[in-house]
Amino acid sequence: MQKSKESFRNLIKIVGHPEFWPGNVNTTCWDFINAQLRAGAEENGPGQSFEGASWTKTAVTIKVLFHKRTAKPGVYGYHVGDMYHRTLISIIREKLANPRHDELFHYQPYNLLWQRGGSPAPINVHGELYTSQAFLQTHKDLQQSPPEPGCNLERVVIALMFWSDATQLTTFSNAKLWPCYMLSGNELKYRRCKPSCCLCSHIAYFNHLPDSFKDFATEHFGGKAPPADFMAHCHRELFHTQWGIILDNEFLEVWEHGIVIRCCDGVEHRFYPRIFTYSANYPEKMVPTFGGDTIRNLASNTSEMKRMAACDFKDVLQMAGIERCEARIRHICNLNNPLPLGTNVEEGVATTLDAHFHISKSQNFLENIMMFLCKHSEDPAVKDFLPKL
């Protein structure tokens, strides 16, 4: 075994320490210690040896439906693999018990306003999640709801923000991971984006459908390759099944009734987790970005859906070009028509999002979630997955 220079220097520091006694090393039975460590790892089992005991392993099985015109019709269970994940409640407890995280954790939202001199009314400053109208409304709804019987603790909303993105591990193979991360919107966005603050938590590693699944489906289709819409449905079922594991019964119980946690200042609060954002690269577009009706119309036309996504990106590039052109035009006008020194130019202050930002029209297909659930109450996705939210 080769040792690095750094490890050699560390060894010199240990041996050269005035409190170091060589007899402690000579009289220690290292074989016995190694055997104890090896036995402890075997007792924990493979499901507990993944990055500590807080990670668990759960088998993922999806139900695959084959229609009556296939070679082997019926509903079959398919074991995709094992999913490594952590419980959301354990991560919340760990975060609120960490003094470094608690120092700048915002327990209460507030409305951040800015008023320019001479303006008739202040405007909202859009910056942090805990100053947004969505957070303020959620906090208001929680405070106006009936409290838990016999509990007079302060009720706090903990904003959950999820990210997931498939990652290619190597250049010359198809090895990849699909991690999922969680952060809290109660903390500053400038601290969330700093790796040194350690505010991002791994919660799970999603599974993909293995290559053997196509062989399984081809066998039931009588030797024919499974159609694209069938594969998209199975990918969706796998994705929802894994999220059903993450949003377990413990999380749903805490979502409704809250959880009492003693914080670093010694004061107990009742925390209620709420999901505010989820950013993901979901290929089947089951997380709506164009609107539910558009997705249903394009469910069998992947190329058209990709074209629309490309158009959205093209809109961003066009807006950036327009802003550069406008800046150059203003600069040329100032050069041709310079204002006298001391002239005070009053600029209008944008009071709406449309006036302040360039918003792509292709992103204005909004979908009311509650109306969507009522309208599609018979949809399998609504029955099996969305009621958990």
Side-chain angles (χ1 to χ4, degrees):
M1 178 183 296
Q2 295 181 354
K3 304 294 291 183
S4 64
K5 292 183 178 180
E6 183 179 358
S7 62
F8 178 74
R9 286 193 295 266
N10 293 333
L11 179 60
I12 294 298
K13 290 181 181 179
I14 295 175
V15 176
H17 196 276
E19 296 183 0
F20 176 76
W21 185 49
N24 291 335
V25 179
N26 296 331
T27 59
T28 302
C29 184
W30 295 107
D31 293 337
F32 176 76
I33 293 177
N34 292 332
Q36 293 288 357
L37 294 175
R38 184 166 56 252
E42 293 175 355
E43 290 178 1
N44 289 334
Q48 299 293 335
S49 61
F50 183 72
E51 292 194 9
S54 61
W55 287 85
T56 56
K57 183 177 69 173
T58 303
V60 179
T61 302
I62 61 173
K63 294 182 179 180
V64 185
L65 176 64
F66 297 95
H67 57 77
K68 61 181 180 181
R69 293 188 297 274
T70 58
K72 297 181 179 180
V75 180
Y76 296 86
Y78 184 83
H79 176 68
V80 177
D82 296 325
M83 177 185 180
Y84 290 94
H85 63 97
R86 301 172 64 191
T87 62
L88 299 180
I89 302 304
S90 66
I91 299 176
I92 293 175
R93 287 183 178 274
E94 178 183 337
K95 177 177 292 293
L96 296 175
N98 191 327
R100 292 182 56 191
H101 297 176
D102 182 74
E103 182 180 2
L104 297 177
F105 188 90
H106 291 74
Y107 289 83
Q108 301 290 339
Y110 59 89
N111 199 6
L112 184 60
L113 303 175
W114 177 76
Q115 185 173 8
R116 184 178 177 178
S119 298
I123 61 175
N124 290 323
V125 177
H126 302 277
E128 299 288 349
L129 182 60
Y130 50 79
T131 62
S132 65
Q133 294 300 317
F135 202 125
L136 291 168
Q137 185 62 43
T138 302
H139 175 76
K140 180 180 178 180
D141 294 341
L142 177 61
Q143 304 307 320
Q144 293 179 351
S145 63
E148 293 297 312
C151 179
N152 57 357
L153 298 176
E154 181 183 7
R155 292 180 288 176
V156 181
V157 173
I158 178 168
L160 305 183
M161 308 173 70
F162 295 100
W163 279 266
S164 66
D165 189 6
T167 304
Q168 191 76 19
L169 298 179
T170 61
T171 306
F172 302 102
S173 71
N174 58 355
K176 55 186 176 181
L177 283 177
W178 193 355
C180 184
Y181 312 97
M182 186 184 78
L183 293 99
S184 174
N186 302 68
E187 294 162 322
L188 285 166
K189 62 183 179 182
Y190 302 106
R191 298 187 73 244
R192 293 200 305 264
C193 65
K194 294 177 63 177
S196 59
C197 293
C198 301
L199 297 179
C200 182
S201 301
H202 281 76
I203 65 169
Y205 286 92
F206 292 122
N207 288 314
H208 297 79
L209 283 177
D211 296 336
S212 58
F213 179 79
K214 289 187 177 180
D215 299 332
F216 166 79
T218 301
E219 178 184 354
H220 287 76
F221 275 100
K224 298 181 180 179
D229 53 353
F230 171 83
M231 294 298 297
H233 170 77
C234 293
H235 279 291
R236 188 203 70 174
E237 288 299 311
L238 174 59
F239 189 74
H240 289 181
T241 299
Q242 294 179 102
W243 264 107
I245 295 174
I246 297 175
L247 304 178
D248 54 11
N249 293 330
E250 180 187 17
F251 179 79
L252 299 180
E253 180 72 15
V254 173
W255 178 285
E256 182 176 357
H257 301 287
I259 179 174
V260 177
I261 298 178
R262 183 182 298 273
C263 300
C264 297
D265 56 1
V267 180
E268 290 185 342
H269 300 79
R270 184 176 288 273
F271 291 90
Y272 290 81
R274 294 293 184 266
I275 300 176
F276 278 80
T277 64
Y278 179 37
S279 303
N281 62 338
Y282 192 10
E284 279 67 46
K285 295 295 185 296
M286 295 310 298
V287 179
T289 56
F290 311 117
D293 295 335
T294 307
I295 292 174
R296 289 181 177 275
N297 294 336
L298 299 177
S300 60
N301 194 341
T302 307
S303 60
E304 180 64 18
M305 189 173 293
K306 291 181 178 179
R307 187 193 65 79
M308 290 187 65
C311 290
D312 291 339
F313 182 69
K314 183 179 179 182
D315 290 342
V316 175
L317 298 179
Q318 288 177 348
M319 287 185 291
I322 292 173
E323 290 180 353
R324 288 195 298 269
C325 291
E326 291 177 351
R328 293 182 61 188
I329 292 174
R330 288 194 299 267
H331 179 68
I332 294 174
C333 292
N334 293 334
L335 292 178
N336 295 333
N337 301 301
L339 295 175
L341 294 178
T343 304
N344 186 17
V345 180
E346 291 291 338
E347 298 182 358
V349 178
T351 57
T352 62
L353 290 176
D354 292 334
H356 193 74
F357 300 100
H358 290 285
I359 301 178
S360 172
K361 297 302 180 183
S362 61
Q363 297 290 337
N364 286 345
F365 297 97
L366 305 179
E367 187 73 48
N368 187 305
I369 296 298
M370 300 307 299
M371 295 297 296
F372 180 85
L373 293 177
C374 296
K375 182 179 178 181
H376 304 93
S377 59
E378 299 301 323
D379 193 297
V382 175
K383 288 183 177 179
D384 298 337
F385 174 71
L386 290 179
K388 282 198 171 187
L389 298 179

